[in-house]
Amino acid sequence: MLDLAIIGGGPAGLSAGLYATRGGLKNVVMFEKGMPGGQITSSSEMENYPGVSEVKSGFDFMMPWQEQCFRFGLKHEMKEVLRIKKVGDHFSIIFSDGSEEQAKAVIVATGGSPKRSGVKGEDVFWGKGVSSCATCDGFFYKGKEVAVLGGGDTAVEESIYLAKICSKVTLIHRRDAFRASPTTLERAKNEPKIEFLTPYGIDEICGDDSGVTGLKLKNLQDGSEKEINISGIFVLIGYNVNNSVLMQEDGSSLCEVNEYGQAVVNLKMETNIPGLFAAGDLREDAPKQVVCAAADGATAALGAIEYIEHHK
């Protein structure tokens, strides 16, 4: 039986493996169906991780993590986890090929991914002017004009954040009414750099070899079309958490989740199921930053060590 199973190989999972093995656990396996690194590996530039002054691509940034995190005995198995079940005082890890492993404790760090709009040009310019994180990438558009697509709290809040950096922010939403809270919406309307463009949809994200240059828009009421020139667009229409491994055969979740399917945890990353921890973007209120995911993983690992020590 494994001491600890870690599901997911992004910053949270790798950090959990590092802290768990360096903390004395001998039989720790990280299950990740692909190569470790997480969704940050698709980022074109990473420049806000403390202590790393060199600007790197997400892929290059994550490469040293693997060497460091495997140094103390963490094992990586390239297997897809289908489901986690609680069986007595331990956990059963069920894989897509039908095989199983048993573990005393589990850290789930399967992350999530931003919803994409499906607009023409989005995939072409993803990471080259199309982003899903203003906190991560807003600095690259200092003094430039950008657009935000979305109508919820995140889209409006990120528009307010970008207005402090950019010369102009065009907030595009397909409806006149916004899902964002009235207080947040009022703050945005009082920000002179933010222009509201409703009810509009994006027909195409345009650009060239240097990246995004503009948008083709359509008014969804009267069908009229217009084009705007921008340097970047932030697609903020929602976020999917990868929580399928928590789902049981009867459709329930192994642990408590909130209305968005995010795992509910305490400050130790403990779920309501003893021995089960959730870290990174899977857990509720995750800031969706690499440094925060890494901290979550370390916290969860320390909690797992304590749990296993008390349940020998």
Side-chain angles (χ1 to χ4, degrees), residues 292-304:
C292 300
D296 280 5
T299 301
L302 295 173

Side-chain angles (χ1 to χ4, degrees), residues 4 28 60 105 126 157 166 222 225 274 286 306:
L4 175 65
V28 182
D60 290 338
W126 194 270
E157 287 168 1
C166 305
D222 60 25
E225 299 177 350
E306 182 180 1

Side-chain angles (χ1 to χ4, degrees), residues 40 42-48 55-58 127 136-137 140:
I40 190 61
S42 62
S43 177
S44 59
E45 293 181 297
M46 179 72 183
E47 65 166 13
N48 62 345
V55 179
K56 298 182 177 182
S57 70
C136 311
D137 299 329
F140 299 117

Side-chain angles (χ1 to χ4, degrees), residues 84-91 104-108 246 248 253-257 263-266 269-278 307 311:
I84 305 164
K85 294 174 67 174
K86 186 74 183 285
V87 182
D89 60 354
H90 67 275
F91 296 87
K104 297 175 184 177
V106 176
I107 296 174
V108 186
L246 298 173
Q248 305 299 287
S253 175
L254 174 58
C255 67
E256 182 184 356
V257 296
V264 176
V265 298
N266 61 17
M269 302 301 140
E270 296 171 320
T271 69
N272 64 316
I273 303 298
L276 180 66
F277 302 78
Y307 172 82
H311 292 81

Side-chain angles (χ1 to χ4, degrees), residues 9-12 14-15 36-42 46 49 56-69 290:
L14 285 166
S15 296
Q39 64 170 311
I40 190 61
T41 56
S42 62
M46 179 72 183
Y49 196 88
K56 298 182 177 182
S57 70
F59 181 83
D60 290 338
F61 173 77
M62 291 305 300
M63 282 300 290
W65 287 51
Q66 298 181 38
E67 179 188 351
Q68 182 185 23
C69 294
V290 174

Side-chain angles (χ1 to χ4, degrees), residues 190-220:
N190 289 332
E191 172 52 64
K193 289 185 180 180
I194 298 177
E195 177 185 349
F196 286 76
L197 206 55
T198 63
Y200 274 87
I202 301 175
D203 275 350
E204 184 178 356
I205 299 171
C206 305
D208 54 29
D209 291 341
S210 65
V212 170
T213 57
L215 302 174
K216 292 181 180 180
L217 306 170
K218 178 180 283 187
N219 186 299
L220 301 179

Side-chain angles (χ1 to χ4, degrees), residues 5-55:
I6 299 169
I7 319 300
L14 285 166
S15 296
L18 171 63
Y19 272 74
T21 52
R22 192 172 182 273
L25 296 184
K26 300 299 182 184
N27 197 4
V28 182
V29 177
M30 181 182 73
F31 297 102
E32 169 61 69
K33 61 183 178 181
M35 289 301 294
Q39 64 170 311
I40 190 61
T41 56
S42 62
S43 177
S44 59
E45 293 181 297
M46 179 72 183
E47 65 166 13
N48 62 345
Y49 196 88
V52 181
S53 58
E54 182 183 354
V55 179

Side-chain angles (χ1 to χ4, degrees), residues 93-148:
I93 317 300
I94 303 167
F95 302 99
S96 57
D97 63 5
S99 62
E100 294 188 23
E101 290 261 16
Q102 310 302 312
K104 297 175 184 177
V106 176
I107 296 174
V108 186
T110 45
S113 55
K115 291 181 180 178
R116 300 221 179 176
S117 66
V119 169
K120 183 180 179 182
E122 181 181 46
D123 290 340
V124 175
F125 296 107
W126 194 270
K128 299 176 182 177
V130 181
S131 172
S132 60
C133 180
T135 312
C136 311
D137 299 329
F139 178 80
F140 299 117
Y141 303 97
K142 186 176 182 180
K144 299 179 180 179
E145 295 190 16
V146 298
V148 172

